[in-house]
Amino acid sequence: MKVLISVDMEGISGIVHPTETNPDRYDYERGRALMTAEANAVIAGVLEAEPTAVVLVADAHGTFRNLLPEELDRRARLVRGKPRSLGMLGGLDEHIDAVMLVGYHARAGSGPAVLAHTMSDDILDVRVAGRSLGEIGLNATMAGHMGVPVVLFSGDDTACAELSDLVPSAVTVAVKEALGQAAAVVLHPEEARERLRRAAAEAMARRAQVSPLAMGGPLAVEVDLHSPTTVDLATLVPGVSRAEGGRTVTFTAADFAEAYRLVLLLVQLATIKPG
């Protein structure tokens, strides 16, 4: 049994503001500690249910260098740093039996939702075959493309509903109730960790009941971008075209893996500034 736990930061209990998620802000170290503790709770639940499981933990926030390696449960292996071909799902391959998405947030434009966005503030929306997908949908479908189900999810209540709409049989844990972009009613971190530990063990026991989320190709993809410069750069990529209106680029992907990687490329192009 091999499990991949992908851990983001905005959906961790107690976290509601960018000062807690950005390395250059004053409360980031607390955010890192909370993130690492929730990862450890999930690892504990997985190994409680499957003591011989191999557990990979993918740091999936920002720089992918947030989890505290020395504080992470030593029974797990950490996937850290970037760039990597599958982004937030670093470590995913055909040998993984189950994926868990921990500390995730809702997609851009949804709400109320804590720190909602899609990959970066430069991506306004991603639509694949007409369906709007945020990080939750993109990563769950990418895992499904590899034949792997998402069996556990945690974040705020809006994010949990987003995952449940895609994977109804997955176990979800709402560690906070969103009041807005930077406000929520949060569980005490210790209570959140206990719920996550129990939920991870339950998800392992129920994993056979969860089907991978698959989307067959070819796929029409539309991406709404914040910056006109990013649109200009995106059209330099073979197969990517500017749609009417100037803010949207489109392309056709042979399969979901190709769509996923092109979206990751657009996120990187958005970091390039004019001049």
Side-chain angles (χ1 to χ4, degrees):
M1 175 60 58
K2 196 171 183 180
V3 179
L4 176 66
I5 305 170
S6 174
V7 189
D8 204 353
M9 203 171 194
E10 289 88 351
I12 299 295
S13 183
I15 289 179
V16 298
H17 195 274
T19 58
E20 299 159 331
T21 63
N22 291 340
D24 60 346
R25 306 297 286 274
Y26 78 92
D27 226 6
Y28 170 68
E29 290 304 320
R30 173 197 271 177
R32 298 180 77 189
L34 291 170
M35 180 186 184
T36 305
E38 288 201 7
N40 282 338
V42 175
I43 296 166
V46 169
L47 294 174
E48 178 183 305
E50 294 279 350
T52 62
V54 174
V55 181
L56 295 181
V57 178
D59 191 322
H61 174 71
T63 61
F64 296 171
R65 291 182 288 108
N66 309 277
L67 290 165
L68 300 167
E70 67 276 16
E71 298 297 332
L72 195 69
D73 190 316
R74 64 186 300 168
R75 297 173 293 177
R77 289 184 286 168
L78 177 60
V79 183
R80 192 169 193 258
K82 64 169 42 173
R84 54 198 197 209
S85 63
L86 289 178
M88 298 174 76
L89 294 175
L92 179 68
D93 61 25
E94 66 275 9
H95 302 296
I96 297 292
D97 297 291
V99 165
M100 299 181 172
L101 306 180
V102 176
Y104 270 58
H105 53 81
R107 68 180 183 272
S110 61
V114 176
L115 300 173
H117 64 279
T118 297
M119 297 294 186
S120 81
D121 291 339
D122 295 290
I123 307 295
L124 303 178
D125 193 23
V126 178
R127 294 178 296 281
V128 182
R131 183 164 197 171
S132 178
L133 297 177
E135 291 171 38
I136 295 169
L138 290 168
N139 287 302
T141 311
M142 185 63 232
H145 179 77
M146 301 283 286
V148 186
V150 172
V151 300
L152 175 72
F153 180 88
S154 74
D156 69 23
D157 55 328
T158 302
C160 286
E162 188 174 322
L163 185 280
S164 293
D165 184 52
L166 297 165
V167 190
S169 50
V171 177
T172 61
V173 182
V175 298
K176 51 194 169 189
E177 178 187 351
L179 300 177
Q181 182 71 6
V185 179
V186 304
L187 292 178
H188 188 283
E190 291 181 1
E191 175 64 21
R193 293 166 204 159
E194 179 57 26
R195 294 189 188 189
L196 285 166
R197 182 192 63 78
R198 294 197 305 264
E202 178 188 355
M204 292 302 293
R206 292 177 45 189
R207 67 183 182 277
Q209 302 172 31
V210 186
S211 299
L213 179 61
M215 190 177 287
L219 296 165
V221 183
E222 302 169 282
V223 183
D224 296 339
L225 298 164
H226 177 266
S227 168
T229 299
T230 308
V231 175
D232 293 340
L233 291 170
T235 59
L236 299 176
V237 178
V240 178
S241 303
R242 186 193 311 263
E244 290 186 16
R247 178 166 280 186
T248 302
V249 297
T250 66
F251 58 90
T252 299
D255 56 24
F256 195 84
E258 183 175 294
Y260 185 88
R261 289 190 170 98
L262 266 171
V263 171
L264 294 185
L265 177 59
L266 293 177
V267 171
Q268 293 307 307
L269 290 179
T271 66
I272 301 174
K273 303 307 177 186

